[in-house]
Amino acid sequence: MSTTTSPAPARTVGGPDLPQQRTLRTAIPGPRSQELLARKSAAVASGVAHTVPIEAVAAGGGVVVDADGNSLIDLGSGIAVTSIGNAHPGVVAAVQEAVAQFTHTCFMISPYESYVAVAEALNRVTPGDHAKKSALFNSGAEAVENAVKIARRFTGKQAVVAFDHAYHGRTNLTMALTAKAMPYKAGFGPFASEVYRMPASYPFRDGLSGAEAAARAISAIEKQIGAADLAAVIIEPIQGEGGFIVPADGFLPVIVDWCRTNGVVFIADEVQTGFARTGEMFASELFGIVPDLITTAKGIAGGMPLAAVTGRAEIMDATHGGGLGGTYGGNPVACAAALASIDAFENEGLLERAREIGGILRARLESLQASDPRIGDVRGHGAMIAAEFVDPVTNAPDPALTSAVAKAAIAEGVIVLTCGTYGNVIRFLPPLSIPDHLLNEGLDVVAAALAAA
Ligand SMILES: *Cc1c(COP(=O)(O)O)cnc(C)c1O
């Protein structure tokens, strides 16, 4: 199969006009994809792995099309990035217009309007009606690094608390904040100092109420660090990479209150949960909390690289001029994409669509769970839903089953992602542009893969 050569397919244009169907013309990977993957393994560092063995050539609506003409159902959105849909027409037009005007000046040299407009939009759409300011960066990890810098400068303190199951990125400080050694940290130390890990709230596994889990964390913080030395507490309102863990009701509000009474900056890392993903613009709203600082990236710009820290003006302004920035941060093309994306989030009914998608996912997964005790838990909000796979007798995590189901679904043309500290969670993060029939068909394929496993 690897030597088959068919004529190069005509260039495929992505976006919502792509045929919204699952089509398998070859086995996955097909011959053209195999050629690219061979070049990849010869040219690209092996640490940069992939989970879906295709050569992507176009995407839009709810599909990703590969070089062999296969059309796969997308239940991952490139890890919660293309929430408004891949190659969204508004983003394509905005990017094309912006890129033809100028590609870069460096905002720290010559400011431009789109950066300021993105900051204004973020200050408006993030939780809380206090005075806010924003700063733009290139990646989620970079946003998290800067949120910690800002919190330290504002408080004059150094320690940072992160939680079990946390994922905050792959740079040195964010590796220190991240809870999972393999693959994110193993062999990459030494890590940044003054980072302390506390127990989180994981109702399926700890059985604690929100108040109990918060009391446990606060007691440990007070004993091991003390508020007098603590600059910031950072947490994902719903933990993403760690397993789509939804904290028990009341956990987050108690932590936020404790931070506020103790002069500690509360940072919500909404890099994965932000921008309509959970059925609210930000997951903090689900829990009734108002973070001091919020980090965003992934869904912010329809796939263009952009990230931000947004927060209380007095905290954001504590840093001396020149203390924040970066050559590319807030690139004008990425900013144009973000403005088009935020417009789509606000005007295309996407919050409602995320809730509808969540209803479909949850109903289907719960009905599977009712007849299959290997699904220990179904959880999440909006278009961010997961199933945790366990040994039905012991409740022990079953990562082997999880990866077998994911691999089988991918081979059948459905892109699903796994996650979880124990590697035993399948996460569903479809683009909000996916039509119902593809979502249902994708779930049929996953159900069949589970039945066969
Ligand atoms: C993905 C992610 C990050 C890191 O973002 P990058 O853009 O990959 O650097 C940080 N925090 C959370 C919650 C994430 O999901």
Side-chain angles (χ1 to χ4, degrees):
M1 196 165 221
S2 61
T3 54
T4 311
T5 42
S6 45
R11 198 165 73 89
T12 312
V13 175
D17 293 338
L18 276 177
Q20 294 299 300
Q21 61 198 30
R22 179 172 64 114
T23 313
L24 289 179
R25 294 187 196 288
T26 69
I28 304 281
R32 287 188 176 276
S33 293
Q34 287 181 32
E35 276 172 41
L36 182 75
L37 297 176
R39 282 172 56 197
K40 178 192 177 238
S41 59
V44 178
S46 54
V48 185
H50 62 264
T51 51
V52 180
I54 60 166
E55 176 188 346
V57 296
V63 298
V64 175
V65 175
D66 79 6
D68 297 289
N70 300 304
S71 175
L72 291 81
I73 297 175
D74 183 10
L75 301 183
S77 305
I79 320 184
V81 169
T82 54
S83 299
I84 60 169
N86 226 311
H88 181 285
V91 169
V92 172
V95 164
Q96 286 174 339
E97 196 186 327
V99 78
Q101 283 171 333
F102 60 100
T103 48
H104 175 81
T105 62
C106 186
F107 189 77
M108 301 178 303
I109 309 251
S110 316
Y112 37 89
E113 197 266 343
S114 56
Y115 185 120
V116 177
V118 170
E120 289 167 348
L122 291 170
N123 298 344
R124 178 169 55 77
V125 301
T126 48
D129 49 18
H130 49 279
K132 288 178 222 153
K133 291 200 169 178
S134 291
L136 304 185
F137 305 97
N138 300 293
S139 71
E142 210 189 335
V144 169
E145 292 255 357
N146 279 279
V148 171
K149 279 169 66 172
I150 292 164
R152 284 177 168 157
R153 195 75 170 92
F154 174 73
T155 59
K157 302 189 275 186
Q158 293 186 352
V160 180
V161 159
F163 287 85
D164 285 338
H165 315 293
Y167 181 83
H168 297 292
R170 296 168 176 270
T171 58
N172 188 264
L173 173 59
T174 59
M175 278 193 295
L177 295 168
T178 291
K180 195 173 176 180
M182 200 63 194
Y184 305 119
K185 305 171 73 164
F188 296 142
F191 302 110
S193 59
E194 286 307 310
V195 171
Y196 299 85
R197 187 164 317 287
M198 293 296 149
S201 168
Y202 191 163
F204 176 64
R205 294 207 167 269
D206 66 22
L208 299 181
S209 72
E212 290 163 344
R216 176 176 69 174
I218 288 167
S219 160
I221 292 171
E222 288 176 339
K223 291 194 180 72
Q224 296 179 31
I225 310 154
D229 286 320
L230 183 58
V233 166
I234 181 164
I235 192 164
E236 304 151 80
I238 297 175
Q239 293 182 307
E241 190 61 38
F244 281 22
I245 303 166
V246 182
D249 279 345
F251 175 76
L252 289 171
V254 173
I255 302 280
V256 172
D257 284 349
W258 182 87
C259 286
R260 214 139 282 159
T261 347
N262 287 281
V264 174
V265 175
F266 180 88
I267 305 170
D269 182 353
E270 292 235 25
V271 166
Q272 189 159 160
T273 49
F275 296 104
R277 181 47 60 187
T278 64
E280 299 289 344
M281 194 63 106
F282 293 95
S284 292
E285 298 165 59
L286 292 167
F287 305 100
I289 59 167
V290 176
D292 298 315
L293 299 180
I294 175 167
T295 54
T296 54
K298 293 197 166 96
I300 193 174
M304 297 296 287
L306 190 73
V309 182
T310 300
R312 294 184 188 280
E314 66 275 20
I315 301 178
M316 294 297 294
D317 279 342
T319 306
H320 49 280
L324 304 177
T327 306
Y328 294 119
N331 169 273
V333 181
C335 284
L339 292 172
S341 301
I342 293 169
D343 183 70
F345 285 120
E346 291 194 296
N347 298 308
E348 293 181 4
L350 294 181
L351 297 180
E352 197 172 72
R353 182 61 187 147
R355 288 181 213 137
E356 278 171 12
I357 287 172
I360 294 171
L361 284 167
R362 187 174 268 286
R364 185 65 190 275
L365 293 170
E366 282 174 353
S367 93
L368 278 177
Q369 182 187 24
S371 60
D372 192 333
R374 294 175 300 172
I375 301 182
D377 196 23
V378 174
R379 56 179 179 252
H381 284 273
M384 183 174 184
I385 303 279
E388 173 161 354
F389 295 90
V390 298
D391 177 319
V393 178
T394 62
N395 233 21
D398 193 343
L401 172 66
T402 309
S403 80
V405 172
K407 280 209 175 76
I410 290 167
E412 287 299 317
V414 179
I415 298 175
V416 291
L417 311 176
T418 61
C419 65
T421 296
Y422 314 108
N424 68 325
V425 176
I426 290 187
R427 54 173 151 179
F428 296 90
L429 289 166
L432 306 178
S433 53
I434 194 172
D436 283 359
H437 76 272
L438 284 186
L439 182 59
N440 285 316
E441 187 178 336
L443 286 164
D444 290 343
V445 169
V446 171
L450 177 63

